[in-house]
Amino acid sequence: SKKEIIQKLNLIRKIIPDVALRTSLIVGFPGETGGEFQELLDFVKTQRFSKLGCFVYSQEEGTEAAKLKEQIPERIKHRRLDAIMECQQNISKKILEKFVGQKLKVIVDKKIADSIFECRTEFDAPDIDGIVYLQDADVNVGDIVCVKIQDSLEYDMIGFITPFTNKKDK
C-alpha cells in the first residue's frame, strides 16, 4: 500500500541518511483519473527522490491493458509526464545544490573535448542519470578520481579534479 511504501522509504532514509533513492513511473495507464495522477504528483513532491524517470503508457498490441476502454489521450499523457518531470527537475536541482563545495568520487566515462570529461558518481546509472562534467583534467576514461563540485544544474554537476584527502575517499 501507499502507506507501507512511505513507511519503508522513511525507514531507509533513517538508517541511511545520505541514501540516493530512485524510481521509475508510468503515467497515462488506461483508466488513470485526474485525481490518481494528482496523488502520484503529490507523492513525488513529498518523497523527493534523488533520481526519477517517468514514461508515458504505451499501448502494446496483444496486452490486456491495450484492450481496456478507458485509454488516455496522448496529449493528456504527455501533459502528465511534463508535470512530473518539472516537479522532479526542481527537486533534483535542490538536491544537487547541496553537493556544491563537496568532494565526490567519480568514474570517468567519456572525453567530450580537450580536458573536459563526462563522469558519474556512485549513485548515477550510466546513460540514465545526470553527469558530472569534469573540467581542466588530465585523466583517462575508466579512471576513478576525486572531484570538487563547483556548480550544479537541474540534473548535472560541474567540478574539477582534487586530490583524495584520506583513505576513506579512495
Side-chain angles (χ1 to χ4, degrees), residues 11-39:
L11 179 61
I12 291 167
R13 287 180 168 123
K14 182 179 179 182
I15 294 170
I16 312 167
D18 293 331
V19 69
L21 293 173
R22 69 171 51 254
T23 193
S24 295
L25 308 170
I26 295 175
V27 294
F29 190 81
E32 178 184 77
T33 66
E36 289 168 336
F37 170 73
Q38 187 58 54
E39 184 177 358

Side-chain angles (χ1 to χ4, degrees), residues 2-160:
K2 178 182 169 183
K3 182 179 177 182
E4 291 171 323
I5 291 170
I6 291 170
Q7 287 173 340
K8 291 196 185 318
L9 290 171
N10 289 339
L11 179 61
I12 291 167
R13 287 180 168 123
K14 182 179 179 182
I15 294 170
I16 312 167
D18 293 331
V19 69
L21 293 173
R22 69 171 51 254
T23 193
S24 295
L25 308 170
I26 295 175
V27 294
F29 190 81
E32 178 184 77
T33 66
E36 289 168 336
F37 170 73
Q38 187 58 54
E39 184 177 358
L40 178 63
L41 183 58
D42 292 343
F43 178 76
V44 169
K45 286 177 184 176
T46 59
Q47 291 307 305
R48 302 181 51 78
F49 291 96
S50 306
K51 311 291 179 179
L52 181 142
C54 188
F55 308 91
V56 296
Y57 164 77
S58 177
Q59 196 173 14
E60 295 292 328
E61 191 175 324
T63 63
E64 290 300 313
K67 298 174 192 173
L68 295 173
K69 293 180 183 178
E70 298 175 335
Q71 297 292 323
I72 307 296
E74 289 296 317
R75 64 179 165 64
I76 293 175
K77 289 192 277 190
H78 286 279
R79 193 177 318 140
R80 291 176 180 176
L81 171 74
D82 291 346
I84 293 282
M85 292 313 297
E86 182 179 331
C87 175
Q88 181 60 27
Q89 186 177 57
N90 293 329
I91 291 167
S92 177
K93 185 172 178 20
K94 287 178 182 159
I95 288 172
L96 294 183
E97 284 172 353
K98 294 177 183 175
F99 287 103
V100 174
Q102 291 188 30
K103 292 180 180 183
L104 298 175
K105 188 169 30 171
V106 301
I107 186 166
V108 179
D109 283 332
K110 181 178 172 184
K111 183 175 185 173
I112 56 175
D114 284 341
S115 302
I116 301 176
F117 296 83
E118 285 184 6
C119 306
R120 63 186 151 89
T121 68
E122 61 190 322
F123 42 81
D124 291 317
D127 301 322
I128 295 173
D129 292 329
I131 295 167
V132 176
Y133 292 101
L134 177 57
Q135 300 179 343
D136 302 323
D138 182 20
V139 295
N140 296 304
V141 171
D143 286 353
I144 295 175
V145 296
C146 189
V147 171
K148 186 168 185 178
I149 303 300
Q150 66 185 33
D151 200 4
S152 65
L153 308 166
E154 287 88 359
Y155 298 111
D156 303 321
M157 296 183 284
I158 301 166
F160 57 91

